[in-house]
Amino acid sequence: MKFRRIVAPTDFSSLSERGVAEAQSLAHSLGAELVLLHVVEPAVMAGDLYGASAMATVIEELQHSAREALERAVAKIKKRGQRCRGVIANGGAAAAIVDTADRLRADLIVLATHGRSGFSHLLLGSVAERVVRSAACPVLTLPSTPPRARNRRARKR
């Protein structure tokens, strides 16, 4: 299989950096384009007309901040000689990741997982799990912390 386009979702947190770094490394070694994807997840709020207007302003501000952060991240990757572009999507994270990957005809999605388990996983769900279940292309999931760091934490307990 030829990998031409790799999508790497990012929320600009240190947790998502591992997925982006691995996606960049893969894209570089495979000669693929890297697409950094940020999803703006607007909170659903019921309210009066003013509330809807205020929410639209908040969403615009979130999109503006995301666009700036994405442009910085893309520029940093391009400086290393990697073909890269940024995309912003709106909606629920998992659905937006899958929809964007489909629309862009991505060959691979690479994302770090938060590693939630138990009640936290049950309550919050797993974006990575939902992406794996519904994506048309392969999905590479990575723990947000490298194995050595997890092993050191386990030994300290």
Side-chain angles (χ1 to χ4, degrees), residues 5-12 20 33-41 62-75 77-78 83-91 93 95-106:
R5 187 167 296 116
I6 298 173
V7 171
T10 181
D11 60 7
F12 308 116
V20 170
E33 175 190 30
L34 178 61
V35 178
L36 292 186
L37 169 63
H38 178 73
V39 179
V40 176
E41 292 186 272
L62 286 171
Q63 288 175 330
H64 178 74
S65 295
R67 197 171 299 108
E68 288 179 343
L70 199 56
E71 287 172 2
R72 286 190 302 273
V74 166
I77 290 170
K78 281 183 172 181
R83 284 186 304 136
C84 183
R85 66 177 155 144
V87 173
I88 294 178
N90 296 309
I97 291 167
V98 170
D99 290 346
T100 301
D102 286 347
R103 183 173 48 80
L104 297 176
R105 294 188 174 123

Side-chain angles (χ1 to χ4, degrees), residues 17 19 29 45 62 73 77 79 85 92 104 111 113 131 134 136:
E17 285 178 13
S29 65
M45 296 176 70
L62 286 171
I77 290 170
K79 277 185 181 178
R85 66 177 155 144
L104 297 176
L111 70 156
T113 65
V131 170
S134 51

Side-chain angles (χ1 to χ4, degrees), residues 17-148:
E17 285 178 13
R18 180 155 190 249
V20 170
E22 290 294 330
Q24 181 184 349
S25 178
L26 276 170
H28 178 75
S29 65
L30 297 169
E33 175 190 30
L34 178 61
V35 178
L36 292 186
L37 169 63
H38 178 73
V39 179
V40 176
E41 292 186 272
V44 178
M45 296 176 70
D48 56 16
L49 187 56
Y50 175 76
S53 174
M55 185 52 130
T57 302
V58 168
I59 291 169
E60 285 177 27
E61 289 174 8
L62 286 171
Q63 288 175 330
H64 178 74
S65 295
R67 197 171 299 108
E68 288 179 343
L70 199 56
E71 287 172 2
R72 286 190 302 273
V74 166
K76 186 176 173 182
I77 290 170
K78 281 183 172 181
K79 277 185 181 178
R80 297 180 188 138
Q82 173 63 50
R83 284 186 304 136
C84 183
R85 66 177 155 144
V87 173
I88 294 178
N90 296 309
I97 291 167
V98 170
D99 290 346
T100 301
D102 286 347
R103 183 173 48 80
L104 297 176
R105 294 188 174 123
D107 300 299
L108 179 67
I109 300 169
V110 178
L111 70 156
T113 65
H114 287 271
R116 292 186 181 105
S117 61
F119 185 71
S120 176
H121 174 76
L122 184 65
L123 183 64
L124 300 172
S126 167
V127 170
E129 184 178 326
R130 284 179 267 159
V131 170
V132 167
R133 289 178 187 263
S134 51
C137 65
V139 179
L140 174 61
T141 61
L142 304 160
S144 56
T145 54
R148 279 186 246 128

